[in-house]
Structure formats: structure tokens, C-alpha cells
Amino acid sequence: MPHPSRPHPSRPRPDLALALVPRPGRLSSRPGRFRLDTTTRLRVAPGAERAADLLRGYLTPATGLRLDHADDGTFVLALDPALTGLGEEGYGLTVADHGVLLRAARPTGLLRGVQTVRQLLPYEALAGRPARAIELPGVEITDVPAHPWRGMLLDVARHFQPVSYLHRFVDLLALHKLNVLQLHLTDDQGWRMPVAAYPRLTEVGGRRAESMVGPAGSDRFDGRPHGGSYTRAELAGLVAYAAARGVTVVPEIGVPGHVRSALAAYPALGNRPERRLDVWTHWGVCANVLGVGDHVLDFFRTVLDETMDVFPSPYVHIGGDEVPTVEWESSPAAIARAAREGLAGPRDLHGWFLERTADHVLRAGRRPVVWAEDGAAPPPGCTVMSWRTPEHAWAAARRGHDVVLADHRRVYFDYARGPGPGEPPAQPGHSLGLRTVYDLDLLPPHGAPEPAGKVLGAQGQLWTEFVPTPDHVEYLTYPRLCALADRVWNPDRDWPGFRARMDGHRARLTALGVPHDTLPDRAAPAPA
Ligand code: ACM
């Protein structure tokens, strides 16, 4: 619901420029406004075509304006590799009454600039409703992101989401200049990634009989089957849609734990091939993990090859989290394998399995990503995502690994947005208000040496055990994603300024149908 003191969306706001999220690095207001009308033409430099298409895609449906190219167009999209200091994603934007100049050194920078233009539009234009006058306020902006990995994970394994919704999810990431969607495609409770050589992965692994009601350990189930999987064409379409917005879709195929759906489809992958398991209907950490025979490694090489075929992302996430070793410790085959590989014992098969898998990804010319959940050395060549504590990221960075911060106490959006009452069931343990997310820190603790250049960025996570619908996805994601986006784009922390900008940005979210009410803020630090 709109806040009573919030300005009406259609009323011009003198401080509109302040309402950009994330906050541009440098912004000053200029006199004048640029009006787009039927005479407006774009001057599209070679290499700027994708940005022009994206801009038209946002503007034309709302305004009817075609914004064709003309060599003397007053809205200029310029690409100049000689522009220094803008990197891959930076851009400059000048809006004056006689014209607009959007410029970047690289095409992706123009895509980021288009999102700024989109945020400067009248809110009605965002809603797809005809606006009375399409005007942009006079501004001068120079804007470069602080971090190259600005991500959001969506878990489509616990609850499947249709690909049409994934398009919307990606477009809203792009609006906030996030540039990575990590798609959590496989888990104990469902397998969503099509693999031609192994159709049972989706046919059998893609459905479960019912779902647990309540958190891990509950004895209640809903009795409702749940399932779904994507086609290759749908995923390829998603990748293209995201690329048009400068968003990379990073696929996650987790091994050697979180694989019960694969074990249900192909029991020979397990530690007891004669055993028949169902696709898991519980939440929590499943004790069933992959067997360690060569046929299992080969199977997952095939799965990863197809995944890399569909997803051109330079990064491929291979999981690695929450791997109970009880099955290996009681399996003669696993014990023998550990001995043959010269490992101290079957527990070390966890690192061994990940190393083999990471090696396959590296040989394909991609970069494997793994979850870190202790201070142990990650496999060579892996980018590390820390989720339990940033300490694991710093430890990995000191070992020379690139790291992405994904601390559950800051950026796990499956926790409730506040302590309630009235909040829907969520992952128990913490609640994360907007302030807690905003206080995300991308630097090592005070006094610790900075692992220069090793922090790629940060990523929010939406695990979906308790999140069945797109509406619920958005309820939990927004407005917390706005705080994440602000922190990971702009290194300067300014909570009062962020709150003020959010007051304006909320009208944009309303226009786009994104929920954004905020529970009362608590300045309390995140729970330890
Ligand atoms: C995780 O939350 N197990 C990555």
C-alpha cells in the first residue's frame, strides 16, 4: 500500500533525481528538461544497437513513440572505447533541454545507462500507461559500479517458477543494475534442468509427491504434488532475454550433496544402487549424497556439458555445500575409493569430488563457483561464495580465490522481513529488515589486510522452501533487493540518503506492480 505521505506518482517531484536506486557515483541536476515526442529520433552509434533496442522496448509500448534512428537525432547513444575510467559497465548521461547524451566505453555500460533513463521517466511510463508528457529531468551523471558481481540467486528447485516469471525477475534485477541471476536449478526436492542424455532427471526428478509443511523436522505434509522443469528452448530464451539487459544467468548444478532428485531418477548414482529413493518431500539437509564411482563423475560431466551448452556464462556454480559424509563412511566402495586416491578417509571425498567436478568446468574454459561453509581450502581455480560468515570469504581470498559475499545474516531473503506478527511463514532463525541488508559490508573487518581485487561483489539469495508463488517471491525480495543493489553498486554507505531515495523509488515499484511495504525499521545489528 502506498504510504500516506508519499507523493502522488504523477506529480512532478523536484527531487526526482535523488530517487535513483542504486545511487549514481556522481550526479548533479541541470536546468531544463528533455521532452520526448513524435519528433524525437535516436542517434545510435555502431555497437549501441542493443541499448537502443532495450530503450525502445521500455518506451515504445508506453508512449507509442517509435524513436527511430536518425543521423541528426537529439537522443544520442554513443560508444567510445577511448572513454577512460568507465570500465565494462560505467556510463555517462547528460540530459539537457536540447538533447540527451548517453555514452559508455563498452556496450554493457550503455545498458546500465538505459536503466537510469528508465528510472528518470515519469512513473506512468513504467506502468505502461500513457504518460501526459514524457520528460526527463536535466541531469549530469557519471556512474561506475564498485563491484563486477552484483547477483541474486533464485531457487527454482524447491518451488518451480515458470519461465515467464523468470523474465520479469530478470528485468527487475536489471532495473536495479544487478547483473547476475544465479539459477538454482537442482536440489533434493526437484530437478529443473533438461539433460537430453538423461531424461529421467526431469521426468522423475522434476516432481515430488508432496511438500513438508513448516520448517525442517516438521511431521506435517501438504499432500499436494509439485513439479516442473524447463525446456532447452525456454532456458535459451531466458539467457537471451537476460543478455539483452546485461544480466548473466549463472546456472547452479549442485554436487555431491543436494542430489536426492537425481538419485530418485537414477539410483545407480547413489552409494547404494539397489535402493529406491523418492524425490525428497522434506526440507533440511538430506543425508543422501552421490556415490564416488567413475560412472558418477562421467554422468555429471555430461550434465555439466549440456548445462554449459545452454548457459554461455563464464561462471558455473557446482554447489558443494552441506554434504553429510555418513553414507561414504559406511560404504565399502567409498572407503576403497578414498584409499585409492590417497585421501585420509572417506570424509575427504567431499573435496575430492568437488575438485574433479571443478576440473571439468575449468577444462571447458569456464570458472567453477562453490559455496564455502568452513575455512577449508576450496578446490583450485574456484570462485568462492561464502554464506555462513564472511570470514570464509576472507580466508579464501587470502588463499588467492575470487570471492562473492552471500552472508545469510545480511542477504538471505528467505528469512522474514521482520519479527512479525503477521509475516508469512519463512525460514526460521533470523529476520532481516531493510537496514540489516543495507549494512552489508564488502570490506574485511577493520584492520584486516584487504585482499585487493579478490572481492567480486555480493549476492542475495532467495531459497524457496516457503515461497511457492511469484507474488511471494516478490514480497520477500523487495524492497530488500534495492538495499543490496545500492550497496554493491556504490561504495558509499548513506542510510538516510537511501531511505529518502526509496521514498521516490517506491512509486516506481508501485508502477511496476512490485510490492515494497517496509516493516518498521530496526537499527539493531544483524544477529550473530
Ligand atoms: C546454503 O545456504 N546451503 C548455500
Side-chain angles (χ1 to χ4, degrees), residues 29-317:
S29 290
R30 287 176 57 116
R33 306 176 70 75
F34 181 79
R35 172 179 279 252
L36 289 112
D37 60 27
T38 53
T39 68
T40 307
R41 297 289 177 270
L42 304 186
R43 174 151 35 117
V44 184
E49 295 85 359
R50 283 198 314 148
D53 287 345
L54 187 64
L55 183 65
R56 292 184 186 112
Y58 289 132
L59 272 168
T60 307
T63 64
L65 303 179
R66 293 180 32 174
L67 301 172
D68 289 331
H69 169 84
D71 289 340
D72 62 352
T74 51
F75 193 130
V76 180
L77 299 168
L79 198 58
D80 180 359
L83 284 171
T84 53
L86 293 179
E88 274 295 310
E89 297 185 88
Y91 66 94
L93 176 67
T94 306
V95 178
D97 46 14
H98 56 275
V100 175
L101 172 61
L102 173 60
R103 61 199 186 286
R106 307 278 302 142
T108 307
L110 292 178
L111 298 180
R112 305 290 171 245
V114 165
Q115 297 296 341
T116 299
V117 172
R118 186 185 183 195
Q119 289 204 10
L120 291 172
L121 290 169
Y123 302 125
E124 300 95 314
L126 286 163
R129 290 196 304 273
R132 272 170 292 135
I134 305 289
E135 288 184 345
L136 300 171
V139 282
E140 181 79 50
I141 291 174
T142 307
D143 201 12
V144 182
H147 297 283
W149 188 303
R150 304 181 304 280
M152 184 69 209
L153 174 148
L154 183 60
D155 167 10
V156 293
R158 270 54 172 267
H159 278 101
F160 177 74
Q161 301 298 339
V163 79
S164 57
Y165 178 66
L166 300 186
H167 284 215
R168 174 176 161 95
F169 193 80
V170 163
D171 188 51
L172 292 171
L173 299 191
L175 175 71
H176 294 90
K177 298 188 176 71
L178 294 191
N179 63 353
V180 171
L181 168 63
Q182 181 172 328
L183 207 49
H184 185 78
L185 285 160
T186 65
D187 214 306
D188 298 308
Q189 298 86 355
W191 185 286
R192 314 294 173 209
M193 172 74 206
V195 180
Y198 304 120
R200 286 173 60 84
L201 284 173
T202 47
E203 287 167 14
V204 174
R207 339 212 124 256
R208 63 176 181 265
E210 57 181 350
S211 305
M212 183 173 269
V213 176
S218 160
D219 58 3
R220 291 191 300 132
F221 294 83
D222 66 5
R224 284 202 300 274
H226 177 81
S229 60
Y230 303 110
T231 65
R232 259 187 86 109
E234 285 177 331
L235 293 174
L238 176 68
V239 165
Y241 180 90
R245 286 154 180 75
V247 175
T248 301
V249 185
V250 174
E252 181 183 359
I253 304 285
V255 293
H258 288 277
V259 289
R260 170 95 163 224
S261 59
L263 296 175
Y266 294 99
L269 297 172
N271 288 289
R272 287 171 46 198
E274 77 293 350
R275 180 179 52 187
R276 295 293 171 267
L277 295 168
D278 60 353
V279 177
W280 217 30
T281 56
H282 295 233
W283 311 131
V285 177
C286 183
N288 307 117
V289 301
L290 292 174
V292 291
D294 287 339
H295 65 290
V296 181
L297 293 171
D298 285 341
F299 184 101
F300 275 88
R301 289 182 187 121
T302 302
V303 168
L304 284 167
D305 286 346
E306 178 133 3
T307 303
M308 290 189 277
D309 216 32
V310 173
F311 296 94
S313 159
Y315 292 92
V316 177
H317 204 300

Side-chain angles (χ1 to χ4, degrees), residues 321-322 371 387 412 463:
D321 58 317
E322 296 177 323
W371 297 108
W387 67 278
Y412 265 33
W463 307 104

